[in-house]
Amino acid sequence: MGKKNEYSNGEITIVWQPALCAHAGICVKTLPKVYRPQERPWITIENATTAELIDQVKQCPSGALSYRMDNE
Ligand code: SF4
């Protein structure tokens, strides 16, 4: 299993698998308030709504980003 980084806002957890990331930057273009590659941690999940995050994760072309709902 490769490394997984998880980010939660209490409602949703975003999982990022660096080994799968194609660095296409679609996440950064779609939600620049959340995805900031120059910062650590680079994902600031609080800066978007859960619905915005889900829409964005679905656009990740490589499958590096996925999510699960925290209450399920
Ligand atoms: S959209 Fe997905 S593949 Fe592209 S940079 Fe973001 S996490 Fe990586």
Side-chain angles (χ1 to χ4, degrees), residues 1-70:
M1 287 285 276
K3 192 173 148 212
K4 285 187 180 178
N5 291 7
E6 301 200 346
Y7 308 85
S8 172
N9 67 3
E11 218 170 72
I12 184 175
T13 295
I14 290 184
V15 182
W16 181 60
Q17 295 178 261
L20 296 180
C21 180
H23 301 287
I26 291 171
C27 51
V28 180
K29 283 184 204 128
T30 314
L31 282 181
K33 288 179 301 198
V34 172
Y35 299 96
R36 293 179 173 140
Q38 314 305 332
E39 296 180 16
R40 293 294 176 271
W42 79 286
I43 296 178
T44 310
I45 190 169
E46 297 82 7
N47 286 351
T49 65
T50 294
E52 287 173 322
L53 293 163
I54 290 171
D55 276 353
Q56 196 295 306
V57 165
K58 287 181 176 167
Q59 292 179 52
C60 174
S62 68
L65 290 171
S66 58
Y67 72 91
R68 63 170 184 266
M69 302 312 291
D70 288 346

